[in-house]
C-alpha cells in the first residue's frame, strides 16, 4: 500500500465514531477541504478524484456515484473513494481498501473498478471473496517531465477550442467512443453527447490544433488541480495520421500549458505499443501501474 502521513486536523468534520476502523461512510460537502488535503498527499495519483471534487463538490449528481471516506483509529481520513458506475479510490491502509470493498457490495450498478494492481487484488478479495477475478486490463500512469526526443518537431499552435469548433469536436469524440466501445454515442443520445462535449469546450478543457480550419488534433483536459492536469481522449484526424502529430502536439502541450510545479499526466494501455512510444517521445515517463476490472 502507499505510505502516507495524514496531517488532517482533529477539528475536521468527522464520520460517525461507530464506524471508525471498520466501515466507510458517505462524505458531505463539509468534508471537502479535508478530502482535498488527503488527496493532495499524492497529487498525480489522485488527480481524477480531486478534480471531480474541485469541479462539482463532493455531493453532486454529476458524479454518478457517491464519495466515501474511511478513517483510522484516530479519526483521520485513511481513504477517499468514488463508489458508483466507475469506482476509484485512494487509500493509505489495507483496512480502508477493505472498507470500500464492503461498501461497494451494496451498489448494484458498478461497471468498472480502477486501482493500483496490488490494491485491486485486495479490494476484490473483500468485494467478491473467492470469486474469480474477471479479465483485467493494465494501464501505465504517465507524467510529463522528461526531455523530448531530439527527432520531435514540437507544434506550438495549440489552443483551447471554441464553440466554433464544436461540430468537429463532437464528430471526433464520437469516433473515439465508437472505436473503443462499438457504441455510436450520436445514435444512442446525440443531444446529451453534444451537450457534454459543449460543456467541456465552454470550460476551456479541450486542447486543439487546427490547420486551415480543419481539426487535426484534440485532447481533453478531464481534471485540473493546483498540482496536475489529467488528459484523456487523444485524437488525430485520420487523414493526418502517420505524421507524428500526436507526439508533436503532446510535446507542445507540455511546453505551452505547464507552469510552476504542475505536471501533465494520463493513462496509457500497457499493450498499446504505438501510444506508449508516442508518449515516450513526447517526454512522458511511467510512474506507476494500474489495472481495471470491467463488470
Amino acid at each position: 500500500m502507499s505510505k502516507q502521513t495524514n496531517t488532517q486536523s482533529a477539528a475536521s468534520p468527522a464520520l460517525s465514531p461507530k464506524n471508525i476502523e471498520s466501515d466507510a461512510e458517505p462524505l458531505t460537502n463539509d468534508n471537502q477541504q479535508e478530502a482535498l488535503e488527503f488527496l493532495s498527499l499524492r497529487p498525480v495519483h489522485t488527480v481524477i478524484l480531486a478534480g471531480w471534487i474541485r469541479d462539482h463538490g463532493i455531493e453532486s449528481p454529476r458524479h454518478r456515484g457517491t464519495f466515501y471516506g474511511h478513517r483510522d483509529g484516530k479519526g483521520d481520513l485513511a481513504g477517499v473513494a468514488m463508489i458508483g458506475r466507475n469506482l476509484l479510490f485512494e487509500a493509505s491502509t489495507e483496512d480502508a481498501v477493505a472498507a470500500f470493498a464492503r461498501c461497494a457490495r451494496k451498489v448494484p450498478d458498478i461497471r468498472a473498478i480502477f486501482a493500483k494492481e496490488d490494491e485491486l487484488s485486495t479490494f476484490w478479495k473483500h468485494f467478491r471473496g473467492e470469486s474469480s477475478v474477471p479479465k483485467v486490463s493494465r494501464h501505465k500512469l504517465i507524467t510529463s517531465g522528461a526531455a523530448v526526443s531530439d527527432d520531435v518537431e514540437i507544434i506550438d499552435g495549440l489552443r483551447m477550442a471554441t464553440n466554433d469548433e464544436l461540430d468537429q469536436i463532437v464528430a471526433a469524440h464520437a469516433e473515439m467512443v465508437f472505436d473503443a466501445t462499438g457504441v455510436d454515442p450520436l445514435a444512442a443520445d446525440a443531444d446529451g453527447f453534444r451537450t457534454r462535449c459543449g460543456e467541456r469546450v465552454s470550460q476551456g478543457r479541450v486542447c486543439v490544433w487546427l490547420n486551415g480550419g480543419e481539426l487535426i488534433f484534440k485532447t481533453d483536459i478531464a481534471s485540473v488541480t493546483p498540482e496536475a492536469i489529467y488528459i484523456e481522449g487523444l485524437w488525430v484526424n485520420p487523414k493526418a495520421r502517420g505524421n507524428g502529430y500526436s507526439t508533436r502536439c503532446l510535446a507542445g502541450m507540455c511546453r505551452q500549458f505547464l507552469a510552476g510545479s504542475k505536471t501533465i499526466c494520463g493513462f496509457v494501455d500497457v499493450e498499446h505499443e504505438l501510444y506508449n512510444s508516442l508518449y515516450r517521445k513526447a517526454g512522458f515517463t511511467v510512474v506507476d501501474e494500474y489495472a481495471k476490472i470491467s463488470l
Side-chain angles (χ1 to χ4, degrees):
M1 302 301 302
S2 305
K3 295 182 179 179
Q4 299 178 344
T5 301
N6 200 321
T7 58
Q8 314 303 332
S9 167
S12 300
L15 301 181
S16 302
K18 64 181 177 66
N19 286 315
I20 287 178
E21 291 190 290
S22 59
D23 293 329
E25 280 197 352
L27 296 173
T28 71
N29 287 328
D30 289 339
N31 303 110
Q32 179 162 324
Q33 186 58 38
E34 183 187 20
L36 289 174
E37 288 175 5
F38 173 79
L39 295 172
S40 71
L41 297 174
R42 295 206 312 159
V44 170
H45 291 73
T46 63
V47 62
I48 299 176
L49 290 170
W52 286 346
I53 292 173
R54 289 182 178 278
D55 284 346
H56 307 299
I58 284 185
E59 299 174 275
S60 171
R62 298 292 297 274
H63 295 316
R64 303 177 75 179
T66 302
F67 273 100
Y68 286 82
H70 173 75
R71 294 184 184 276
D72 60 22
K74 297 179 180 179
D76 293 327
L77 275 179
V80 172
M82 162 53 61
I83 301 179
R85 184 178 181 87
N86 295 305
L87 193 155
L88 300 87
F89 61 83
E90 171 72 359
S92 59
T93 67
E94 289 194 8
D95 284 345
V97 177
F100 294 144
R102 291 192 297 270
C103 181
R105 293 177 195 162
K106 306 169 188 176
V107 180
D109 61 345
I110 295 173
R111 295 292 177 265
I113 305 167
F114 192 59
K116 289 182 62 178
E117 193 160 0
D118 58 336
E119 294 178 348
L120 191 58
S121 298
T122 300
F123 181 94
W124 188 262
K125 178 178 68 177
H126 292 278
F127 180 56
R128 292 287 173 87
E130 299 302 318
S131 299
S132 298
V133 178
K135 183 178 179 180
V136 173
S137 59
R138 292 174 171 81
H139 306 265
K140 297 176 182 178
L141 174 61
I142 56 174
T143 65
S144 58
V148 178
S149 175
D150 292 338
D151 61 354
V152 174
E153 179 185 354
I154 295 175
I155 288 177
D156 292 321
L158 295 158
R159 60 174 173 80
M160 293 305 169
T162 69
N163 285 329
D164 292 338
E165 289 97 38
L166 182 57
D167 286 345
Q168 294 190 71
I169 289 166
V170 168
H173 202 66
E175 176 190 305
M176 292 187 60
V177 172
F178 182 79
D179 289 345
T181 67
V183 176
D184 181 358
L186 295 178
D189 179 19
D191 290 342
F193 185 77
R194 183 180 178 84
T195 296
R196 290 189 292 275
C197 289
E199 287 176 349
R200 191 162 277 186
V201 169
S202 297
Q203 292 170 342
R205 295 282 188 87
V206 182
C207 181
V208 297
W209 178 54
L210 285 85
N211 188 9
E214 185 174 17
L215 183 65
I216 303 299
F217 168 91
K218 79 97 183 168
T219 192
D220 291 9
I221 298 172
S223 289
V224 179
T225 70
E227 301 87 4
I229 296 172
Y230 170 69
I231 62 172
E232 62 182 18
L234 187 153
W235 176 89
V236 172
N237 192 314
K239 295 186 293 185
R241 291 172 188 172
N243 294 302
Y245 288 136
S246 294
T247 297
R248 294 165 63 190
C249 287
L250 284 169
M253 284 186 68
C254 293
R255 171 180 289 180
Q256 185 170 341
F257 296 113
L258 298 185
S261 60
K262 260 187 168 49
T263 183
I264 292 178
C265 59
F267 287 95
V268 61
D269 191 322
V270 168
E271 298 181 357
H272 204 307
E273 183 51 39
L274 176 62
Y275 278 109
N276 279 276
S277 175
L278 74 87
Y279 278 109
R280 282 196 302 270
K281 290 180 180 179
F284 285 75
T285 56
V286 177
V287 296
D288 220 329
E289 294 192 0
Y290 276 65
K292 181 171 73 172
I293 293 175
S294 298
L295 301 176

